[in-house]
């Protein structure tokens, strides 16, 4: 049972466009029991979960967050290739949203409470950032945490002169192993607040600490992570988040459980902030030629540096494999889908290594290997 007399933290898993689920869940909590978020000692997040963690830590109105996410999803549906179309610049949309929503003192409000999960490109290790010198630096950290390689672009963004990518790659649910950390996920699994599966299923996969049950509902959610559904479906996901949060608060005895659960759908419909809208027809592909032309020079200019970086990582990985080839320590791979990166080759020695930063998860050490440009993604924004 949840103890209000003890310190607690909250951790949001990365989930891309499924982050609309967190909007509904957070809306319910702020309405019914705001202390749960306001008095949390730490709010952790990876990728889209880091964005929600920042919104709640800084105090950005959820209506703004919801509107921006629905707008990004709308833009992502305009082309035949969806978000994979080169004219769709997700990182620019995310950055513009942060510049518009975050107050000037956002870094002051966030420092010490917001903890953002990053994956360092040079060695693939997880880094938790919780101190921010400026609003611009806070935005840099959040953009780095959301950058899925090749899905979002070619050259990883930088924070303090170092390249980082999606925090979900190395730790998608920061500090989830601590007893006082309440975990949020938009996928049905073992997280404290998450969707409930309609059927019993004992099969699950774990990706970067996130439990995901193997069923058709979760397959739809994973697809929606990268390819946003229609506005009506997004609104329904938001309402489902509200319903699940209300059930969670009742089960934790944080609010009265007198109202029957059958009334939750009605409450969600009234309280969720998403409103479906009629979308305009998809843009003519030729109208985005100018943006494509702007995008190409950046790629050609930086490809040499990218290949050099990849070569260094390949060399180091090869050296490590030769050194450990005669040992009995086994290499461990993620049991979930392929990311377009041959993500981790973790030896037993890596698992016993000290965390990179205080409080970093002990299972975040890895070797990052860039591979061919596959379009199969399994990590979450």
């Amino acid at each position: 049972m949840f103890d209000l007399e003890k310190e607690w933290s909250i951790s949001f898993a990365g989930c891309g466009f499924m982050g609309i689920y967190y909007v509904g869940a957070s809306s319910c909590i702020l309405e019914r029991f705001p202390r749960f978020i306001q008095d949390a000692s730490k709010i952790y997040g990876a990728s889209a979960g880091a964005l929600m963690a920042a919104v709640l830590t800084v105090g950005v109105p959820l209506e703004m967050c919801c509107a921006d996410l629905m707008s990004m999803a709308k833009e992502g549906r305009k082309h035949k290739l969806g978000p994979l179309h080169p004219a769709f610049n997700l990182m620019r949309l995310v950055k513009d949203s942060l510049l518009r929503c975050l107050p000037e003192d956002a870094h002051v409000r966030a420092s010490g409470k917001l903890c953002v999960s990053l994956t360092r490109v040079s060695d693939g290790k997880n880094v938790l950032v919780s101190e921010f010198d400026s609003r611009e630096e806070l935005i840099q950290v959040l953009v780095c945490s959301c950058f899925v390689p090749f899905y979002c672009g070619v050259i990883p963004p930088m924070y303090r002169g170092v390249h980082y990518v999606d925090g979900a790659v190395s730790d998608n649910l920061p500090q989830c192993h601590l007893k006082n950390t309440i975990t949020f996920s938009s996928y049905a699994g073992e997280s404290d607040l998450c969707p409930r599966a309609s059927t019993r299923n004992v099969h699950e996969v774990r990706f970067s600490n996130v439990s995901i049950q193997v069923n058709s509902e979760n397959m739809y959610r994973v697809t929606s992570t990268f390819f946003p559904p229609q506005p009506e479906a997004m609104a329904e996901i938001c309402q489902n988040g509200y319903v699940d949060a209300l059930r969670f608060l009742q089960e934790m005895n944080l609010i009265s459980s007198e109202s029957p659960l059958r009334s939750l759908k009605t409450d969600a419909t009234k309280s969720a902030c998403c409103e479906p809208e009629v979308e305009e027809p998809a843009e003519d592909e030729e109208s985005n030629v100018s943006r494509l032309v702007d995008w190409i020079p950046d790629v050609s200019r930086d490809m040499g540096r990218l290949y050099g970086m990849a070569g260094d990582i390949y060399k180091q990985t090869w050296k490590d494999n030769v050194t450990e080839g005669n040992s009995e320590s086994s290499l461990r791979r993620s049991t979930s889908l392929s990311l377009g990166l041959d993500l981790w080759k973790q030896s037993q020695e890596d698992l016993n290594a000290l965390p990179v930063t205080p409080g970093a998860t002990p299972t975040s050490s890895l070797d990052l290997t860039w591979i061919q440009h596959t379009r199969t993604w399994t990590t979450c924004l």
Side-chain angles (χ1 to χ4, degrees):
M1 194 61 62
F2 188 76
D3 189 352
L4 291 173
E5 299 302 320
K6 297 180 179 180
E7 253 189 18
W8 70 87
S9 299
I10 302 171
S11 184
F12 289 92
C15 59
F17 289 104
M18 282 293 295
I20 199 70
Y21 178 87
Y22 295 151
V23 174
S26 300
S27 175
C28 174
I29 294 173
L30 290 175
E31 175 189 335
R32 306 296 182 109
F33 194 75
R35 181 186 169 190
F36 180 76
I37 291 174
Q38 295 169 357
D39 291 354
S41 60
K42 303 282 185 182
I43 302 182
Y44 301 94
S47 200
L51 296 180
M52 178 52 61
V55 165
L56 295 176
T57 302
V58 173
V60 175
L62 286 180
E63 292 77 6
M64 294 180 65
C65 175
C66 180
D68 282 358
L69 186 50
M70 294 291 278
S71 176
M72 292 179 199
K74 179 181 178 181
E75 288 295 316
R77 288 189 297 268
K78 281 187 175 181
H79 312 285
K80 292 181 180 179
L81 292 177
L84 298 181
H85 194 285
F88 179 73
N89 192 329
L90 180 58
M91 289 297 93
R92 181 180 298 172
L93 294 176
V94 169
K95 187 173 182 179
D96 288 346
S97 174
L98 293 172
L99 287 170
R100 182 169 55 253
C101 296
L102 294 181
E104 291 300 321
D105 64 342
H107 59 292
V108 177
R109 303 186 195 184
S111 291
K113 183 169 184 176
L114 172 65
C115 301
V116 181
S117 175
L118 304 179
T119 300
R120 192 163 54 206
V121 171
S122 60
D123 56 10
K125 291 186 178 180
N126 183 260
V127 177
L128 281 177
V129 180
S130 59
E131 297 294 332
F132 313 95
D133 292 339
S134 66
R135 177 173 177 262
E136 291 70 26
E137 187 172 271
L138 171 60
I139 293 175
Q140 289 175 6
V141 171
L142 293 172
V143 168
C144 285
S145 186
C146 293
F147 186 89
V148 179
F150 301 116
Y151 176 85
C152 293
V154 178
I155 306 302
M158 299 179 73
Y159 157 62
R160 293 187 178 179
V162 178
H163 288 282
Y164 292 92
V165 295
D166 194 342
V169 170
S170 54
D171 191 354
N172 198 25
L173 201 56
Q175 302 298 342
C176 63
H177 58 283
L178 299 180
K179 291 184 178 180
N180 66 335
T181 300
I182 307 301
T183 55
F184 284 55
S185 173
S186 63
Y187 312 111
E190 296 182 357
S191 298
D192 296 309
L193 199 164
C194 65
R196 286 190 173 180
S198 59
T199 58
R200 297 187 63 180
N201 193 330
V202 297
H203 301 290
E204 70 166 19
V205 295
R206 285 189 174 272
F207 176 73
S208 294
N209 292 328
V210 177
S211 165
I212 304 177
Q213 292 182 357
V214 180
N215 55 46
S216 59
E217 295 168 325
N218 270 345
M219 290 186 66
Y220 170 78
R221 294 181 182 112
V222 170
T223 301
S224 299
T225 294
F226 301 101
F227 299 92
Q230 294 296 319
E232 295 81 3
M234 294 280 286
E236 182 178 357
I237 293 170
C238 181
Q239 292 175 1
N240 289 340
Y242 189 99
V243 169
D244 293 335
L246 189 54
R247 181 184 291 110
F248 167 80
L249 293 175
Q250 290 182 350
E251 291 177 348
M252 293 293 104
N253 287 334
L254 298 177
I255 62 174
S256 172
S257 58
E258 293 178 358
S259 57
L261 291 181
R262 59 184 171 81
S263 67
L264 295 183
K265 279 290 184 181
T266 303
D267 289 340
T269 302
K270 294 178 180 178
S271 303
C273 59
C274 292
E275 290 294 336
E277 60 182 60
V278 178
E279 294 189 349
E280 300 174 358
E283 282 184 335
D284 183 354
E285 296 292 325
E286 295 182 2
S287 65
N288 290 298
V289 170
S290 60
R291 290 191 63 189
L292 178 58
V293 171
D294 291 339
W295 177 74
I296 291 175
D298 292 334
V299 177
S300 60
R301 183 185 59 209
D302 292 325
M303 281 302 288
R305 181 157 55 91
L306 176 64
Y307 288 146
M309 183 191 308
D312 292 341
I313 296 172
Y314 271 124
K315 290 178 183 178
Q316 183 61 43
T317 302
W318 176 258
K319 181 187 297 184
D320 292 343
N321 287 344
V322 172
T323 303
E324 300 175 5
N326 297 324
S327 68
E328 295 181 359
S329 61
S330 60
L331 297 178
R332 188 180 68 175
R333 264 181 211 280
S334 169
T335 59
S336 61
L337 315 170
S338 168
L339 171 64
L341 299 170
D342 186 7
L343 291 181
W344 316 134
K345 295 184 176 179
Q346 288 182 306
S347 64
Q348 192 64 36
E349 179 180 354
D350 289 331
L351 296 178
N352 296 328
L354 292 175
V356 179
T357 54
T361 174
T363 63
S364 61
S365 176
L366 47 89
D367 293 321
L368 182 63
T369 305
W370 300 92
I371 65 170
Q372 296 177 349
H373 298 187
T374 175
R375 290 295 187 187
T376 310
W377 309 103
T378 58
T379 190
C380 304
L381 283 175

